[in-house]
Amino acid sequence: MTASIEEARRGFRERLLEAGVLVVLGEPGLYAKSGVFERVYRGVDALTETTLAHLGAEVLRFPPVEPLALFEKTDYIASFPQLTASLSVFTGGDLEHAELLTARAEGERWERFLEPAGVLMSPAVCHPVYALLTGTLPAGGRNFDVLGDSFRREPSEDPMRMQAFHMHEYVHVGTAVSALAHRDEGAPLMHALLESLGLEIDYVPANDPFFGRAGRMLAKNQITQSLKYEFVTPVYGDAHDPTAISSANYHETHFGQAFDIRDADGEVANSSCLAFGLERITLALFARHGTDLGSWPAGVRARLGADA
Amino acid sequence: MTGAAAREADIAAIRDALGRFGRLSVSAGSVAPETDLYGVGFTSHAAVNVMLALEDAFDIEFPDELLTRATFGSIAALADAVSRTRAAA
Ligand SMILES: [Zn+2]
């Protein structure tokens, strides 16, 4: 009998915890990662860089949070309110602090004494790039190599769905032609990289988890216009839907318009990004090859620089 | 109101919603009913806001099958969608 998807997810989570690949932190979807996880993760990350080195992308590393003004322009709250997380901070004086401590001593939740800071957890690592590009691009557009923390509020027992994770993205901002070329020329390279690690990969049209009724319309548009593709792999066996571990996205003028970016001809800029889900790729490898790194195929370990 | 006058009124309300939420590169008043809105700067995200504004203005709820890119492709297509939704209500 086939295990349900929930059983399959719990089983994989238990194997990862037993083998010490991940360590739980007391909240679904938040983990500490062990040394063996980190070795594979670093190998995967290094391979993304060599695979797309020819882009000559400008390197930018962002903090895990972003300013409200930037977040606003991305329209994220309209599309994904269910994933959004805002930081709150203490701004009171002694009196408010005393009230907070009293509530805390009585066993109450005390976060309600905090105020929104105007800083949000970054849900997508490429967003801050566009805020830097307001103005006119050079001919040929620009390429960026961005890596950072993402936070999406979706607590889950599925180890593939973490709340805090990292994406390594290769972003192009330019014309419609150059942005589509970036996506469609990069995707086969990503596909080959993932397959070279022994993963069974499909490249399929996809949609983001847009919220609510309006979201169903955005999701339908994304599919009919072939804006988003995902690299999926059967982490939980062929009886269950495969899991996305990377994506290739064409944003049309969404960010160009929001951040007032123009291409060299003065038209609203188009953008696209190639996004590697580093934790998801790493975990897909543990699902595929087992939790004992020493018994992985030698070729895979060599590719990852995780030989001995 | 005659059918033609009702349609004119719908189109005026659609132009109003487009003007406020469409983020078009041209004035909504100057867009012909058959003009491709996506050709004048309309986007999927703006379409969502226009959809919500129209539902509010006409006190209707578009059925899921009309929540497509084509429905929001022109003022005429929007007017058709509004009258179909109203007729089905
Ligand atoms: Zn991106």
Side-chain angles (χ1 to χ4, degrees):
Chain A
M1 206 183 87
T2 318
S4 73
I5 186 67
E6 288 79 16
E7 287 167 331
R9 287 169 177 160
R10 273 198 299 275
F12 182 40
R13 186 168 178 275
E14 268 154 37
R15 288 201 304 284
L16 292 166
L17 298 180
E18 263 164 40
V21 176
L22 294 179
V23 181
V24 287
L25 291 177
E27 158 79 9
L30 289 186
Y31 302 91
K33 299 150 194 168
S34 69
V36 66
F37 181 98
E38 198 62 12
R39 284 181 73 194
V40 175
Y41 175 98
R42 285 189 195 171
V44 169
D45 191 37
L47 285 172
T48 74
E49 292 180 1
T50 47
T51 301
L52 295 172
H54 63 281
L55 295 175
E58 303 168 51
V59 174
L60 283 173
R61 299 291 177 258
F62 297 112
V65 293
E66 62 189 44
L68 178 59
L70 186 161
F71 189 85
E72 278 295 80
K73 287 191 176 173
T74 63
D75 260 349
Y76 196 84
I77 194 64
S79 302
F80 309 103
Q82 79 280 25
L83 304 180
T84 298
S86 153
L87 287 192
S88 297
V89 293
F90 181 73
T91 58
D94 282 328
L95 183 64
E96 292 77 13
H97 190 211
E99 284 172 0
L100 184 159
L101 291 179
T102 304
R104 177 168 173 261
E106 285 165 5
E108 286 173 33
R109 294 278 294 262
W110 47 266
E111 298 101 307
R112 62 191 167 86
F113 292 93
L114 307 183
E115 296 287 331
V119 172
L120 288 103
M121 301 300 292
S122 289
V125 303
C126 68
H127 287 175
V129 171
Y130 311 111
L132 302 175
L133 297 178
T134 300
T136 302
L137 297 164
R142 283 171 78 177
N143 292 329
F144 294 91
D145 161 343
V146 293
L147 165 60
D149 292 79
S150 287
F151 184 92
R152 295 179 194 169
R153 178 61 185 171
E154 41 183 353
S156 168
E157 295 297 327
D158 180 2
M160 294 298 283
R161 188 172 295 286
M162 294 184 175
Q163 291 194 61
F165 54 95
H166 297 81
M167 306 281 287
H168 201 153
E169 295 198 16
Y170 295 83
V171 180
H172 176 83
V173 190
T175 63
V177 170
S178 69
L180 268 173
H182 174 74
R183 185 192 69 180
D184 296 337
E185 287 164 18
L189 303 175
M190 294 173 77
H191 201 142
L193 162 57
L194 296 169
E195 283 184 337
S196 78
L197 297 174
L199 297 173
E200 192 186 305
I201 297 291
D202 266 326
Y203 185 60
V204 296
N207 62 266
D208 284 310
F210 294 106
F211 184 78
R213 284 186 70 229
R216 287 204 289 284
M217 178 164 144
L218 287 171
K220 242 188 267 177
N221 280 343
Q222 223 177 9
I223 297 265
T224 52
Q225 292 181 269
S226 304
L227 298 179
K228 183 182 189 74
Y229 288 88
E230 286 177 340
F231 298 87
V232 300
T233 190
V235 171
Y236 296 115
D238 293 328
H240 298 297
D241 284 344
T243 305
I245 56 174
S246 292
S247 65
N249 310 285
Y250 176 45
H251 314 126
E252 301 184 287
T253 56
H254 179 58
F255 294 114
Q257 196 171 58
F259 290 95
D260 197 15
I261 310 167
R262 303 270 155 179
D263 66 24
D265 296 326
E267 301 290 329
V268 178
N270 288 260
S271 60
S272 60
C273 70
L274 306 167
F276 293 91
L278 295 179
E279 278 86 356
R280 286 196 175 189
I281 298 170
T282 302
L283 289 179
L285 290 169
F286 282 107
R288 176 77 181 85
H289 302 304
T291 51
D292 174 20
L293 178 57
S295 67
W296 287 20
V300 172
R301 277 185 288 143
R303 290 270 291 146
L304 293 166
D307 286 308
Chain B
M1 241 182 331
T2 66
R7 181 143 178 119
E8 276 315 307
D10 287 354
I11 286 180
I14 291 165
R15 283 217 170 90
D16 179 59
L18 283 170
R20 284 185 294 145
F21 301 105
R23 298 187 209 162
L24 304 181
S25 55
V26 296
S27 131
S30 70
V31 178
E34 308 296 336
T35 298
D36 172 17
L37 293 173
Y38 296 103
V40 290
F42 204 39
T43 66
S44 302
H45 284 77
V48 165
N49 292 329
V50 169
M51 171 194 91
L52 296 172
L54 290 178
E55 291 192 339
D56 206 33
F58 292 113
D59 196 21
I60 54 174
E61 191 168 307
F62 292 114
D64 262 21
E65 67 267 19
L66 285 179
L67 297 182
T68 64
R69 188 173 168 83
T71 297
F72 292 78
S74 69
I75 291 174
L78 275 169
D80 290 345
V82 167
S83 60
R84 274 177 61 191
T85 304
R86 211 190 265 126

